[in-house]
Amino acid sequence: TQLLEQSPQFLSIQEGENLTVYCNSSSVFSSLQWYRQEPGEGPVLLVTVVTGGEVKKLKRLTFQFGDARKDSSLHITAAQPGDTGLYLCAGAKVETSYDKVIFGPGTSLSVIP
Amino acid sequence: KAGVTQTPRYLIKTRGQQVTLSCSPISGHRSVSWYQQTPGQGLQFLFEYFSETQRNKGNFPGRFSGRQFSNSRSEMNVSTLELGDSALYLCASSGTGARNSPLHFGNGTRLTVT
């Protein structure tokens, strides 16, 4: 059973379209991070959200942390081929002294020129 | 600043053998975490080391073990390899491993067990 669920699992869109990727859990997280992974490379951190309801923007990417700190979304405006990759959300569990970071299964995004 | 370095990049082993993977974290980083990535299971947490001590552990069998040296470099060992151990093994370092610390990943070691 996945502690973190992501949807959709796969997404193929045309350049210029908008999209939203979701990350959901029944657990509360102290923070949630979004990473992007390109083929043959390790994941690279995009953003960390900490406060419930927090919204962060990174150029065309908008990240939101749910009020209850159980879910998050990533919205991309006017997607470009360079946005292609595997998007991973990762939650730091609250109950341990030193958080164990748990990853979701990822959303594989393909932006077609 | 050099990134996280993992060696080797690719490895082919036979069932029953053992393997050791190496990870050199970013200079000054004291926390090193290991993850197994497969298409079916995604990124699964193996363990985390901080100042040569295992601080967190995932749900993997005892065949998977690791250690960290005084210079923060870490090794991961898998004994009695099984076909299902074929995966991309990723190492990540962070400054303190405290909450909200970003993980800096290496490019992984691709292990194939035949």
Side-chain angles (χ1 to χ4, degrees):
Chain A
T1 305
Q2 289 280 1
L3 191 61
L4 273 170
E5 303 286 345
Q6 287 188 246
S7 62
Q9 188 177 358
F10 299 98
L11 193 54
S12 181
I13 62 171
Q14 293 292 132
E15 182 177 358
E17 292 183 351
N18 302 331
L19 67 115
T20 302
V21 174
Y22 299 93
C23 175
N24 298 288
S25 176
S26 57
S27 298
V28 176
F29 294 101
S30 62
S31 67
L32 200 138
Q33 299 172 337
W34 284 92
Y35 291 80
R36 180 170 67 211
Q37 184 178 21
E38 298 186 21
E41 298 182 5
V44 175
L45 179 71
L46 295 173
V47 77
T48 299
V49 284
V50 178
T51 307
E54 182 177 3
V55 176
K56 278 192 175 179
K57 292 194 175 184
L58 183 66
K59 296 183 181 178
R60 295 177 292 102
L61 278 60
T62 302
F63 304 85
Q64 185 163 7
F65 201 11
D67 292 340
R69 305 205 325 269
K70 293 183 178 181
D71 55 85
S72 180
S73 64
L74 157 60
H75 181 79
I76 300 179
T77 303
Q80 298 177 1
D83 296 326
T84 293
L86 180 67
Y87 288 81
L88 297 156
C89 66
K93 294 183 68 178
V94 172
E95 61 267 21
T96 55
S97 299
Y98 297 99
D99 290 335
K100 181 164 55 178
V101 178
I102 306 297
F103 280 79
T107 292
S108 180
L109 171 65
S110 177
V111 181
I112 302 164
Chain B
K1 201 179 200 182
V4 177
T5 303
Q6 291 188 247
T7 57
R9 283 299 307 273
Y10 302 93
L11 208 48
I12 299 175
K13 289 286 188 179
T14 304
R15 202 168 32 177
Q17 289 185 314
Q18 76 164 16
V19 67
T20 299
L21 312 182
S22 180
C23 172
S24 293
I26 290 172
S27 179
H29 282 191
R30 297 167 65 189
S31 169
V32 173
S33 300
W34 287 90
Y35 290 84
Q36 181 195 66
Q37 187 174 31
T38 59
Q41 298 295 317
L43 267 158
Q44 300 287 310
F45 174 77
L46 281 154
F47 28 66
E48 184 221 355
Y49 286 86
F50 181 81
S51 293
E52 302 178 66
T53 300
Q54 188 180 88
R55 195 163 67 172
N56 268 311
K57 190 177 187 304
N59 298 321
F60 278 79
R63 300 185 297 107
F64 291 82
S65 63
R67 58 178 176 168
Q68 187 180 33
F69 302 96
S70 58
N71 61 358
S72 292
R73 189 177 72 84
S74 178
E75 286 182 349
M76 190 191 94
N77 184 274
V78 188
S79 62
T80 320
L81 283 166
E82 300 177 0
L83 295 179
D85 296 333
S86 294
L88 180 67
Y89 290 87
L90 290 161
C91 158
S93 74
S94 69
T96 63
R99 282 178 187 166
N100 311 327
S101 294
L103 294 174
H104 300 265
F105 283 88
N107 287 331
T109 292
R110 172 76 61 185
L111 172 65
T112 302
V113 182
T114 62

